[in-house]
């Protein structure tokens, strides 16, 4: 939705100098325009854009343009406080801060690191991109299944800054895996998937702490090899058929969020991402989802116990990357587009749909909250293949 205002900059009497941000210890922090914001001069002021949002600030156009350029480059608190309270610079900073278009961080944060260009992107998810990047840097993530979906997900997690990773898989690299599992090469055929992935991921980030759990998970207690304080557990395995239920049984009492993705023959899905403390429940999500299956989708559900033997690298990569986008966004900001929701893509028709779940009605969740479910849509549930 486009946000546009014809109001002039904040009233001259307004000020926002007080607070911890202006304390002596914070004065070396840099104040800047969020990197996703662009602007253009108009006859009566300045027009700024961030995605589909637009903001018009009326005032002396030349002075506002100078202020916007200075904020783009970044100024310290000392410089900002040196500007008169009624100046275009101060008025613009207050106005943009009020809508989250101003960020602040240490002057040298991220410089010379692999994620230095990512911080700007994170401003799409909130104003304090530096804090979000720090959350990614310290996140603890488990990946259950290091195959076609899990290996690509792990690659994106590490690329985003995650440095503590637990990889769970019992399988070994086969020649036919190489069309979709790009952490492996021909020399890795026969090697454990967790070992191959760990080696490749350490090449991306030598400081990575990667823990291997080389076992097939058939019961919740077998996941006790994972720490109970994970920030996220991603399920990207296809066996046994009830692997998500098993993972949820382990994650729910520990308060560990889970996310799910898989790819089938011509279809794929990512989500839901479920947070136990928000009243989510995998059993209730699945029960409602299956109750709404009709026609071909209902028939396809009968075959879900068998993974499809076919695989197409681009399809796996697309779904894996979409899951990674949502997982990274959640780890950084606590929000994402698939919280308690599944997104489905049919590749042949290039068509997407979604299914939103309700909150727990079976009593398993310890912290139920009011339902925020969206209207439900038809969806697919073809046999899935992750490995």
């Amino acid at each position: 939705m486009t946000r546009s205002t014809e109001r002039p900059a904040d009233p001259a009497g307004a000020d926002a100098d007080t607070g911890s941000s202006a304390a002596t210890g914070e004065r070396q922090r840099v104040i800047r325009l969020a990197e996703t914001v662009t602007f253009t001069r108009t006859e009566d002021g300045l027009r700024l854009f961030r995605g589909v949002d637009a903001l018009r600030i009326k005032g002396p156009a030349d002075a506002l343009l100078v202020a916007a350029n200075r904020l783009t480059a970044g100024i310290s608190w000392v410089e900002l406080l040196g500007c008169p309270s009624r100046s275009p610079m101060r008025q613009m900073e207050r106005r943009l801060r009020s809508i989250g278009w101003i960020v602040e961080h240490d002057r040298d944060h991220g410089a010379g690191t692999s994620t230095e260009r990512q911080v700007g992107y994170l401003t799409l998810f909130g104003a304090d991109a530096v804090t979000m990047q720090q959350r990614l840097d310290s996140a603890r993530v488990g990946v259950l299944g290091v195959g076609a979906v899990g290996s690509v997900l792990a690659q994106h997690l590490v690329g985003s800054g995650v440095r503590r990773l637990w990889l769970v898989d019992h399988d070994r690299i086969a020649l036919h895996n190489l069309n979709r599992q790009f952490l492996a090469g021909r020399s890795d055929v026969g090697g454990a998937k967790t070992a191959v992935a760990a080696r490749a991921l350490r090449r991306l980030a030598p400081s990575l702490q990667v823990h291997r759990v080389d076992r097939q998970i058939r019961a919740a207690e077998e996941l006790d090899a994972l720490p109970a304080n994970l920030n996220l557990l991603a399920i990207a395995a296809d066996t046994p058929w009830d692997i998500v239920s098993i993972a949820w049984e382990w994650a729910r009492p520990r308060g560990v969020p889970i996310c799910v993705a898989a790819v089938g023959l011509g279809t794929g899905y990512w989500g839901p991402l479920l947070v136990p403390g928000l009243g989510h429940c995998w059993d209730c999500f699945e029960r409602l989802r299956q109750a709404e299956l009709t026609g071909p989708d209902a028939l396809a559900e009968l075959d879900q116990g068998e993974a499809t033997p076919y695989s197409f690298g681009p399809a796996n990569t697309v779904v894996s990357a979409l899951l990674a986008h949502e997982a990274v966004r959640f780890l950084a900001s606590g929000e994402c587009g698939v919280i308690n929701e599944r997104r489905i893509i049919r590749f042949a028709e290039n068509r997407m749909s979604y299914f939103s779940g309700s909150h727990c009605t079976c009593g398993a969740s310890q912290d139920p909250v009011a339902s925020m479910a969206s209207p439900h849509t038809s969806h697919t549930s073809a046999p899935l293949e992750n490995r």
Side-chain angles (χ1 to χ4, degrees):
M1 177 179 298
T2 299
R3 175 173 54 244
S4 182
T5 176
E6 300 296 328
R7 291 180 295 177
D10 289 353
D15 209 332
D17 292 345
T18 59
S20 60
S21 293
T24 302
E26 296 291 323
R27 288 176 177 247
Q28 296 307 311
R29 289 175 68 79
V30 173
I31 315 303
R32 69 170 69 246
L33 197 62
E35 295 186 34
T36 49
V37 177
T38 59
F39 53 86
T40 183
R41 185 186 185 281
T42 62
E43 290 184 0
D44 58 353
L46 207 65
R47 193 166 179 83
L48 299 96
F49 307 89
R50 189 182 190 192
V52 297
D53 292 334
L55 173 72
R56 176 173 292 173
I57 299 181
K58 288 187 176 182
D62 290 339
L64 288 171
L65 184 61
V66 169
N69 282 322
R70 288 189 66 188
L71 286 171
T72 299
I75 65 173
S76 69
W77 267 108
V78 172
E79 294 175 289
L80 182 64
L81 295 179
C83 299
S85 177
R86 297 171 181 266
S87 68
M89 168 66 76
R90 296 292 297 283
Q91 293 184 56
M92 176 181 288
E93 186 271 338
R94 286 191 292 267
R95 181 75 179 101
L96 296 179
R97 184 182 292 277
S98 71
I99 60 172
W101 289 16
I102 287 289
V103 298
E104 56 180 280
H105 54 76
D106 296 335
R107 186 175 295 276
D108 61 350
H109 180 83
T113 69
S114 62
T115 57
E116 66 176 307
R117 288 198 165 188
Q118 178 171 282
V119 176
Y121 189 91
L122 294 179
T123 62
L124 290 173
F125 310 142
D128 193 353
V130 170
T131 296
M132 287 190 282
Q133 184 59 58
Q134 291 169 343
R135 290 174 186 152
L136 289 169
D137 295 342
S138 61
R140 300 174 299 275
V141 183
V143 178
L144 176 50
V146 193
V149 172
S151 62
V152 175
L153 171 64
Q155 187 173 3
H156 282 294
L157 289 170
V158 173
S160 75
V162 173
R163 292 296 178 264
R164 285 182 284 182
L165 204 59
W166 282 259
L167 304 177
V168 185
D169 206 310
H170 72 290
D171 207 357
R172 293 183 173 273
I173 295 290
L175 187 61
H176 65 77
N177 294 144
L178 301 185
N179 78 319
R180 60 197 183 278
Q181 297 181 30
F182 306 115
L183 294 178
R186 282 183 171 267
S187 62
D188 296 311
V189 171
K193 287 186 175 180
T194 57
V196 170
R199 285 196 300 271
L201 293 171
R202 285 196 186 102
R203 288 196 292 271
L204 294 174
S207 63
L208 175 67
Q209 300 175 32
V210 57
H211 307 270
R212 295 170 51 199
V213 181
D214 293 303
R215 66 173 62 164
Q216 185 171 19
I217 304 301
R218 296 188 178 278
E221 57 268 22
E222 293 177 331
L223 286 169
D224 286 341
L226 301 175
N229 62 345
L230 286 178
N231 298 109
L232 184 65
L233 175 60
I235 297 101
D238 55 23
T239 56
W241 67 270
D242 58 346
I243 186 61
V244 182
S245 294
I246 292 171
W248 180 247
E249 181 183 345
W250 179 87
R252 184 193 58 76
R254 294 164 176 81
V256 174
I258 71 166
C259 61
V260 187
V263 181
L265 186 59
T267 65
Y269 69 73
W270 60 105
L273 190 151
L274 303 177
V275 184
L278 295 182
H280 300 156
C281 176
W282 170 253
D283 294 332
C284 291
F285 183 94
E286 270 296 274
R287 185 161 48 249
L288 181 60
R289 185 185 71 81
Q290 293 186 32
E292 295 199 357
L293 290 169
T294 59
D297 290 335
L299 293 175
E301 186 76 8
L302 298 176
D303 298 325
Q304 197 169 10
E306 295 294 330
T308 177
Y310 309 109
S311 188
F312 186 51
N316 285 282
T317 302
V318 165
V319 170
S320 305
L322 289 167
L323 175 66
H325 186 282
E326 297 305 290
V328 170
R329 179 182 174 186
F330 174 77
L331 292 168
S333 70
E335 301 289 341
C336 76
V338 293
I339 289 182
N340 207 24
E341 182 170 302
R342 173 167 291 179
R343 304 284 172 85
I344 307 103
I345 182 169
R346 296 180 184 270
F347 291 104
E349 297 90 355
N350 195 24
R351 181 168 59 87
M352 293 179 59
S353 58
Y354 70 91
F355 173 84
S356 292
S358 67
H359 285 80
C360 181
T361 58
C362 70
S365 174
Q366 299 302 306
D367 299 295
V369 296
S371 175
M372 298 172 59
S374 302
H376 310 306
T377 66
S378 61
H379 52 286
T380 185
S381 131
L384 302 172
E385 189 273 341
N386 277 327
R387 309 183 68 77

